[in-house]
Amino acid sequence: MLDKAVQPNALLPVPTGRLQVPGIPPFPPANVRLSLVLPTYNESENIGVLVAGLSRLLDRVLGDRYELILVDDDSPDRTWKVARDLRSAYPQLQVMRRQGERGLSTAVIRGWQVARGEILGVIDADLQHPPETLMQLLEAIDLGADLAIASRHVANGGVSEWSLVRRFLSRGAQVLGLLILPGVVGRVSDPMSGYFMVARGAIAGKLLHPVGYKILIEVLGRGDIGRIAEVGYVFQERQEGASKVTFKQYTDYLQHLLRLRLDRLPLRRFLQFGLVGLSGVFVDLAVFYLLRSGWHGDLTASAAISSEVAIFNNFIWNDRWTFGDLSRQQRGWRQRYKRFLKFNSICLIGVVANVALVNLLYYKLGMNEYWAKPIAIAIVTFWNFWMNLKLSWRVTEINK
Ligand code: GDD
Ligand code: MN
């Protein structure tokens, strides 16, 4: 890290390449507790007041064990230059001027990449996030939270004079997130918040891939986030400058949700499950052939027995291979027998659904039967996979 005392006019180097926060701070070891990133775009009228307020507060609580990292995207109002001139009065302030890459979430991550703190935080630079909330966020992390979020939707939280449209859009975005990524967005009351702190270890080494404004969803979606704390705050009215939120932020947000959804799908596991299912098709056909041609068995009985043998085959392989890592957390015959019963029930429901779908597609929608069958198989495969992942092989605390 550039020696602050020697080079007050120095700017921070701008990281490039992968958006990955290092586990160990990149610059000479320093006992920095908190690195707070201030992402700016045209905030030259706000940052003087903000830096003074933050420094007054953090000097008192952390002494020199904190740093403010202002990351500016080459603002036309030269926010980066105003900030750099502030450094002689506020040595805890570091300034990064980005001239290529742009965007709120990548600005925050680039700031975290050069940060030296054990705790990484972000606050808007337009005075809409009250600095006092930082104390409660810090305290929550000290008490063991991986992530401490300033939320508008918990006790003592709120927004100042937001229009109904803005409230509707913000809540609408939240509902959309709950539909697409319930396991991520559903974990917090204010997933849109841009004001939070995270323990470095919870996101160190994770390859981050955000789109647009919502850096919190990226941290929630890709970090190792165990304990989460939420602190109420009132989102203030902007005094100077203007919000940069445009329609593009909403489309970016949707794209971000879909990308996280896809990245969080267990694709490798799904492919294994599909391969096991394919092996079951061959077992089903082989047994069916043996029963019919070898023992001249009844048609329905042969079909039922061969299907059951195939389900048993699939269970064995899935239990050992596809979901082996989960089975090994739930050892013993009793657990295995319980998993087999659940697997069997889900697959039998799948067989019924398969027949019903083929009838629906063929008789109701007039689809060719040789299109209807593979479509029914594909839909039922998703059903079998997702239900077995969530029910048959779900590792509950009790099993651990
Ligand atoms: N470096 C950089 N690059 N900073 C940016 C950019 C960018 O492209 N766009 C915005 N910023 C900075 C602004 O300068 C400000 O400090 C902060 O990010 C928030 O930008 P605003 O444009 O003021 O957003 P907002 O007030 O409408 O919404 C904010 O608050 C919401 C509630 O917490 C954002 O933080 C939202 O993400 C958040 O949901
Ligand atoms: Mn704002």
Side-chain angles (χ1 to χ4, degrees), residues 216-384:
L216 176 58
I217 288 178
E218 188 66 7
V219 167
L220 277 166
R222 299 191 199 273
D224 286 333
I225 307 296
R227 279 179 57 185
I228 299 174
E230 294 193 307
V231 174
Y233 85 101
V234 178
F235 188 75
Q236 306 299 307
E237 254 325 282
R238 200 185 237 278
Q239 305 306 319
E240 305 291 348
S243 168
K244 284 82 191 173
V245 170
T246 59
F247 179 69
K248 183 172 179 321
Q249 263 70 48
Y250 291 96
T251 51
D252 280 350
Y253 170 63
L254 180 61
Q255 187 192 338
H256 192 182
L257 288 175
L258 294 174
R259 176 184 288 175
L260 271 172
R261 173 71 283 164
L262 266 180
D263 289 353
R264 288 170 62 84
L265 276 180
L267 284 184
R268 180 185 59 79
R269 222 192 267 283
F270 181 68
L271 289 176
Q272 288 173 299
F273 190 81
L275 282 174
V276 169
L278 194 62
S279 76
V281 170
F282 290 108
V283 168
D284 196 340
L285 291 174
V287 171
F288 182 69
Y289 177 75
L290 273 175
L291 292 172
R292 288 289 283 161
S293 60
W295 298 329
H296 308 295
D298 164 72
L299 178 79
T300 306
S302 306
I305 294 167
S306 63
S307 294
E308 188 53 35
V309 171
I311 288 176
F312 186 70
N313 165 79
N314 293 2
F315 173 75
I316 296 296
W317 284 107
N318 282 321
D319 199 47
R320 283 176 180 277
W321 185 44
T322 313
F323 301 107
D325 58 319
L326 302 176
S327 315
R328 282 188 284 280
Q329 297 178 48
Q330 316 168 68
R331 293 182 184 282
W333 284 104
R334 209 168 62 80
Q335 292 285 7
R336 184 171 292 121
Y337 181 61
K338 260 172 62 179
R339 289 198 297 274
F340 175 66
L341 285 182
K342 287 183 198 171
F343 181 78
N344 209 346
S345 317
I346 290 167
C347 291
L348 288 178
I349 294 169
V351 169
V352 172
N354 191 315
V355 171
L357 274 170
V358 169
N359 276 275
L360 175 78
L361 296 172
Y362 181 71
Y363 288 113
K364 291 285 182 244
L365 301 185
M367 187 181 284
N368 176 302
E369 58 202 294
Y370 297 110
W371 274 109
K373 185 61 179 161
I375 289 172
I377 289 173
I379 294 171
V380 168
T381 303
F382 269 104
W383 149 271
N384 281 346

